[in-house]
């Protein structure tokens, strides 16, 4: 996977981008490969991936693969300041297009009760930030889920 540093990760990504995007199955595999990678460079790769013309957040499979892969790596998606900011930004971005797909990013927050101290405060603030950036009327299910997460004690 993309774990050997920035230059190797970018080289691998460009190779995959060029060789795998000629078919829908290849696109799906590229999204999964990129989003499940454990690298400091993964947010950059995901950001690049979602800007490619073949990528569509409106396709639930694309958005769910990004959210599912990124959210599973809680070490990066929640416990680093850069990762938490990226999680917030992506959740809001996906939520604007498809509120139900944004639930895959919300899954990253499902273990909030096990967090303590500054980590918990940071995650609670991140949830609040998402809630402030989405429309509670058009994304009521997403908003309610986020509200429920920070009310749990």
């Amino acid at each position: 996977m993309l774990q050997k540093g920035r230059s190797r990760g970018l080289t691998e990504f460009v190779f995959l981008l060029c060789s795998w995007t000629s078919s829908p199955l290849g696109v799906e595999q590229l999204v999964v490969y990129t989003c499940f990678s454990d690298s400091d460079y993964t947010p950059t790769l995901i950001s690049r991936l979602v800007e490619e013309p073949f990528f569509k957040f409106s396709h639930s499979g694309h958005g769910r693969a990004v959210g599912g892969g990124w959210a599973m790596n809680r070490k990066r998606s929640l416990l680093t300041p850069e990762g938490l900011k990226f999680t917030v930004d992506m959740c809001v971005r996906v939520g604007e297009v498809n509120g139900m797909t944004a639930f895959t990013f919300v899954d990253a927050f499902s273990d909030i009760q096990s967090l303590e101290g500054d980590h918990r405060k940071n995650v609670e603030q991140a949830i609040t930030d998402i809630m402030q950036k989405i429309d509670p009327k058009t994304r009521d299910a997403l908003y309610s889920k986020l509200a429920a997460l920070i009310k749990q004690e």
Side-chain angles (χ1 to χ4, degrees), residues 36-83:
F36 279 81
S37 298
D38 184 21
S39 167
D40 291 339
Y41 204 52
T42 301
T44 302
L45 296 176
I46 293 172
S47 295
R48 169 125 187 247
L49 177 72
V50 301
E51 297 301 326
E52 291 296 326
F54 61 80
F55 189 90
K56 306 278 189 251
F57 275 123
S58 58
H59 295 150
S60 61
H62 288 189
R64 287 182 182 147
V66 171
W70 179 247
M72 283 183 64
N73 190 347
R74 287 180 176 88
K75 171 183 76 178
R76 293 192 189 274
S77 65
L78 296 184
L79 301 181
T80 65
E82 302 83 14

Side-chain angles (χ1 to χ4, degrees), residues 3-22:
Q3 299 176 4
K4 301 276 184 178
R6 289 180 178 238
S7 62
R8 178 160 183 224
L10 184 56
T11 301
E12 288 179 12
F13 182 72
V14 169
F15 169 76
L16 294 174
L17 190 62
C18 293
S19 63
W20 287 14
T21 57
S22 61

Side-chain angles (χ1 to χ4, degrees), residues 66-134:
V66 171
W70 179 247
M72 283 183 64
N73 190 347
R74 287 180 176 88
K75 171 183 76 178
R76 293 192 189 274
S77 65
L78 296 184
L79 301 181
T80 65
E82 302 83 14
L84 188 56
K85 181 184 180 322
F86 185 73
T87 302
V88 169
D89 293 346
M90 291 302 292
C91 185
V92 170
R93 185 172 177 187
V94 172
E96 291 173 352
V97 177
N98 187 331
M100 296 309 289
T101 298
F103 273 85
T104 58
F105 287 94
V106 174
D107 287 344
F109 302 118
S110 65
D111 292 332
I112 189 172
Q113 302 308 317
S114 66
L115 299 175
E116 297 177 350
D118 287 341
H119 286 306
R120 183 167 178 153
K121 288 179 196 170
N122 293 340
V123 169
E124 288 173 344
Q125 183 60 52
I127 293 170
T128 301
D129 291 348
I130 295 169
M131 292 172 66
Q132 291 173 347
K133 293 176 181 179
I134 62 172

